[in-house]
Amino acid sequence: MVMYRRPVSVIRSRVPGVLILVAALWLLAGCGTTVVIPPESPPDPVPVFLLDHGRHTSLVLPAPDGTMTRYAYGDWRFYAERETGLGRAVAAVMWPTEAALGRRHLPGPPTESAVRAHVRVGIQEIHHFSVDAARAAALRRRLDDIFEAGVVRETPEVDLSFVAYPRSYSLRNNSNAVIADWLIELGAGVNRRPIWAGWRVEGAN
């Protein structure tokens, strides 16, 4: 299969404009916080954990056996392959790129202290609240089905294993925006699909 790659000269010619765009979006995004409203009185509540890593976000869901699973989403080459240079960052915001689904099983119990003890990357803040167990199980099952069908790449630098994700990565469909979509699947309200991390949970139960 022949892969088309844009010439380096084309990428370089667009870098200044892209950097200005990213800077503007950064400033705009920094003016607000993404507000999460947990579902009210879920019939069979289980805890979920929203992990703010600074720029990225991941989500921890409980499992029926008392353990937990951490999930994340990002650009494949930047997140899974750790190509974190300027060229890769520019490509990730200029056009849709291959996406990655990250997963790591964690010991229980499903508590904030256990999350902090077993997640081996930096966490700036943990938000936790309750959702209905059936919704958590449905999201976990959907993500696990994608993961089990893929070819796994281990990336110890971010404490995750990765497979390809069917939905392309882009500036407006980045790790934080997709996490917001997952929260909606869990029955939570979210006021926007964010570009950068920065969350507030209101009325957590």
Side-chain angles (χ1 to χ4, degrees), residues 32-168:
T33 299
T34 303
V35 178
V36 180
I37 301 175
E40 185 176 353
S41 301
D44 184 11
V46 295
V48 298
F49 303 88
L50 183 65
L51 277 53
D52 184 338
H53 302 287
R55 288 185 302 170
H56 304 290
T57 305
S58 61
L59 182 67
V60 176
L61 300 177
D65 62 0
T67 63
M68 303 174 286
T69 307
R70 174 177 167 234
Y71 299 93
Y73 170 91
D75 173 79
W76 177 267
R77 289 172 63 185
F78 189 96
Y79 207 6
E81 297 184 353
R82 306 309 295 154
E83 293 184 19
T84 57
L86 176 62
R88 184 67 242 154
V90 169
V93 301
M94 284 181 61
W95 50 76
T97 58
E98 183 180 5
L101 172 66
R103 187 180 76 172
R104 175 70 67 209
H105 294 304
L106 305 171
T111 63
E112 181 174 334
S113 60
V115 171
R116 289 191 181 277
H118 297 297
V119 173
R120 297 189 296 272
V121 293
I123 301 173
Q124 289 195 0
E125 193 168 4
I126 295 180
H127 306 275
H128 68 274
F129 53 92
S130 296
V131 302
D132 183 55
R135 283 183 176 266
L139 177 58
R140 189 178 62 248
R141 184 166 53 249
R142 183 176 73 79
L143 297 178
D144 284 346
D145 285 347
I146 295 171
F147 201 93
E148 298 302 331
V151 177
V152 177
R153 178 187 178 92
E154 296 290 342
T155 309
E157 296 92 335
V158 292
D159 193 31
L160 291 167
S161 303
F162 288 98
V163 298
Y165 192 79
R167 185 176 181 182
S168 296

Side-chain angles (χ1 to χ4, degrees), residues 55-57 174-181 193-197 199:
R55 288 185 302 170
H56 304 290
T57 305
N174 65 7
S175 64
N176 302 302
V178 169
I179 292 287
D181 293 342
R193 300 181 77 244
I195 294 175
W196 312 113
W199 306 85

